[in-house]
Amino acid sequence: MTNTTGDYLEHVTEPGERWDTIAWAYYQDAGMMDLLIKENRHLFPGEIAQFPAILPPRLPLRIPVVEQAPLDVNLLPPWKR
């Protein structure tokens, strides 16, 4: 489960952008597009099946800030500890 901080960034879509490419740009994980869709459900009232795969240009999206797990220094090489 992804924990969000409650903070958001705003992203204004460009022509041809998709949920997965935006998720990759912000989280380096295309699978996080589900979080983006959930947080922007208000933009597309109705069933989830009606969400467009390719987003319209100039659409303001809320990008949730997610909490990052603390760094395990034991996994770092000795010269970076």
Side-chain angles (χ1 to χ4, degrees), residues 10-51:
E10 183 175 295
H11 176 85
V12 178
T13 58
E14 297 288 331
E17 282 191 304
R18 302 183 322 259
W19 296 105
D20 61 334
T21 58
I22 296 170
W24 180 261
Y26 284 94
Y27 306 120
Q28 286 71 51
D29 181 358
M32 296 283 285
M33 69 183 222
D34 294 339
L35 176 64
L36 295 179
I37 291 170
K38 178 182 170 191
E39 292 294 332
N40 291 284
R41 183 174 300 259
H42 63 283
L43 297 173
F44 303 99
E47 296 297 319
I48 191 132
Q50 297 176 354
F51 275 62

Side-chain angles (χ1 to χ4, degrees), residues 36-81:
L36 295 179
I37 291 170
K38 178 182 170 191
E39 292 294 332
N40 291 284
R41 183 174 300 259
H42 63 283
L43 297 173
F44 303 99
E47 296 297 319
I48 191 132
Q50 297 176 354
F51 275 62
I54 298 175
L55 296 163
R58 296 181 305 282
L59 182 69
L61 297 179
R62 291 173 48 167
I63 310 295
V65 177
V66 297
E67 293 179 3
Q68 293 193 344
L71 178 64
D72 184 357
V73 293
N74 294 322
L75 298 176
L76 294 173
W79 61 89
K80 288 195 172 188
R81 289 186 195 158

